[in-house]
């Protein structure tokens, strides 16, 4: 959208907003990666990648062309242009702890500025906790990779092959138009999703307090005794469960076959308990 022949949003005004509201540049300065004495600091690489994401650049090659502009170099804090291989090398070894430390103050600022208020459910802020598989590979792995054996078809014959993958459990605000992640916990080798989920729920009150959101959505399989006991000890003000949708035997068999990446479908439960008061979900049509 243009106003009097000029774009409505420009890089200088966007940068001032980020630094004024979120202190973005100071937060990015604390990032680190696996490189030794890098010529381009990790903060500059991160800000360049953030620029590409915010302005919808389709590839690192397109971002590399824009890094030749002195204005962008000045904004990210780089004294010269750099190529896309620097972006890949730095981001592949970026230390996740720095990103975790950036996430919490950004989410707190967004709530304080009422950016999460649109979409509230009867005035309540809704968060969801669920697991998701991030990536998988048959050839590349790391020390934190999970392992499983899946059936693959080679030359028309099904054979069993070892697959490496990563899976994480996250908690995300789902009621607002912008849906920020509050925290992410990665599954470690030899543990299940319920263990990582408990670890995630344990650290949420320390990051945001016990009343950052009002309703927590969980899978029915995750509402066991340890989870309910933990929610009770942290004094979560409200709780919402969802149950798995029952399917046919054939559907269940397809979902449970070896190597399947499909998860069972879920639907909202018909009853919500909030601060000892009842709120019934609207009937399905």
């Amino acid at each position: 959208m243009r106003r009097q022949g000029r774009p409505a949003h420009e890089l200088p005004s966007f940068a001032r907003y980020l630094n004024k509201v979120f202190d973005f540049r100071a937060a990015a300065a604390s990032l680190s990666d696996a490189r030794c004495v890098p010529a381009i600091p990790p903060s500059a690489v991160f800000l360049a990648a953030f620029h590409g994401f915010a302005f919808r650049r389709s590839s690192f090659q397109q971002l590399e062309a824009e890094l030749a502009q002195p204005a962008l170099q000045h904004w990210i804090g780089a004294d010269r242009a750099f190529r896309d291989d620097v972006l890949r090398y730095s981001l592949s070894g970026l230390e996740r702890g720095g990103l975790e430390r950036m996430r919490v103050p950004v989410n707190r600022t967004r709530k304080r500025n009422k950016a999460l208020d649109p979409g509230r459910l009867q005035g309540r802020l809704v968060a969801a906790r669920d697991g998701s598989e991030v990536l998988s590979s048959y050839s590349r792995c790391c020390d934190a990779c999970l392992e499983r054996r899946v059936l693959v078809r080679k030359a028309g014959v099904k054979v069993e092959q070892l697959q490496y993958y990563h899976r994480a459990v996250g908690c995300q605000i789902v009621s607002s138009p912008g849906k920020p992640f509050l925290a992410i916990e990665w599954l470690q080798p030899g543990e299940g999703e319920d263990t990582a989920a408990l670890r995630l729920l344990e650290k949420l009150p320390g990051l945001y307090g016990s009343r950052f959101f009002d309703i927590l959505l969980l899978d029915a399989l995750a509402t066991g005794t340890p989870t309910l006991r933990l929610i009770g000890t942290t004094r979560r003000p409200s709780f919402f469960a969802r149950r798995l949708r029952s399917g046919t035997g054939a559907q269940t068999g397809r979902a449970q076959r070896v190597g399947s990446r499909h998860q069972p479908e879920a639907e909202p439960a018909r009853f919500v308990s909030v601060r000892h008061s009842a709120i019934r979900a609207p009937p399905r049509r």
Side-chain angles (χ1 to χ4, degrees):
M1 184 176 72
R2 293 181 175 272
R3 180 181 303 170
Q4 297 180 354
R6 299 184 61 186
H9 301 283
E10 294 179 342
L11 179 58
S13 62
F14 182 58
R16 286 193 296 270
Y17 166 77
L18 290 177
N19 293 327
K20 179 180 179 180
V21 177
F22 299 105
D23 199 14
F24 203 64
R25 186 180 296 277
S30 64
L31 297 176
S32 61
D33 58 23
R35 296 176 298 164
C36 297
V37 194
I40 304 297
S43 59
V45 176
F46 172 79
L47 290 175
F50 181 81
H51 168 86
F53 171 79
F55 291 95
R56 301 294 191 268
R57 299 301 177 249
S58 59
S59 65
F60 278 172
Q61 286 77 17
Q62 187 177 1
L63 180 57
E64 177 186 344
E66 295 194 0
L67 287 172
Q69 302 176 11
L72 182 56
Q73 296 174 22
H74 175 73
W75 182 71
I76 65 177
D79 55 0
R80 61 176 176 85
F82 51 91
R83 299 180 59 86
D84 61 326
D85 58 342
V86 177
L87 290 166
R88 293 189 177 91
Y89 188 39
S90 175
L91 294 176
S92 65
L94 194 66
E95 196 261 327
R96 291 203 307 262
L99 295 177
E100 294 282 347
R101 290 188 294 271
M102 288 181 65
R103 180 189 299 123
V104 176
V106 168
N107 288 332
R108 286 181 172 274
T109 301
R110 294 185 66 182
K111 184 180 181 182
R112 185 170 60 250
N113 294 346
K114 301 186 184 303
L116 304 179
D117 284 359
R120 281 178 175 261
L121 177 64
Q122 300 183 16
R124 293 173 172 86
L125 198 63
V126 183
R129 191 243 61 151
D130 203 0
S132 177
E133 183 175 319
V134 180
L135 54 87
S136 61
S137 173
Y138 292 106
S139 56
R140 297 186 178 184
C141 65
C142 66
D143 295 337
C145 273
L146 308 177
E147 298 180 2
R148 64 186 172 195
R149 294 193 174 274
V150 300
L151 294 178
V152 297
R153 187 178 296 274
K154 292 185 177 180
V157 180
K158 289 185 177 181
V159 296
E160 194 177 77
Q161 188 171 349
L162 182 63
Q163 186 182 56
Y164 307 98
Y165 68 102
H166 282 275
R167 190 171 180 85
V169 179
C171 185
Q172 181 182 16
I173 298 295
V174 295
S175 56
S176 62
K179 298 174 171 54
F181 272 96
L182 302 181
I184 298 175
E185 191 68 30
W186 295 89
L187 272 70
Q188 301 300 320
E191 71 178 11
E193 185 175 312
D194 53 346
T195 304
L198 284 175
R199 202 162 56 240
L200 174 69
L201 293 177
E202 286 174 351
K203 74 177 185 180
L204 278 176
L207 297 176
Y208 298 98
S210 61
R211 295 181 181 271
F212 190 83
F213 53 85
D214 304 301
I215 300 177
L216 178 63
L217 304 179
L218 295 172
D219 289 331
L221 296 178
T223 56
T225 301
T227 301
L228 296 179
R229 184 183 298 116
L230 177 61
I231 292 176
T233 56
T234 56
R235 297 183 179 180
R236 181 67 57 198
S238 57
F239 178 78
F240 181 93
R242 65 180 186 179
R243 63 175 180 270
L244 296 178
R245 180 182 303 166
S246 58
T248 62
Q251 292 174 339
T252 304
R254 286 196 298 268
Q256 294 179 350
R257 69 178 185 271
V258 176
S260 174
R261 299 178 61 182
H262 298 285
Q263 299 296 321
E265 295 182 350
E267 66 175 1
R270 310 316 301 168
F271 186 82
V272 187
S273 176
V274 181
R275 292 180 185 157
H276 306 290
S277 63
I279 299 177
R280 292 192 176 275
R284 288 176 295 173
R285 298 184 181 277

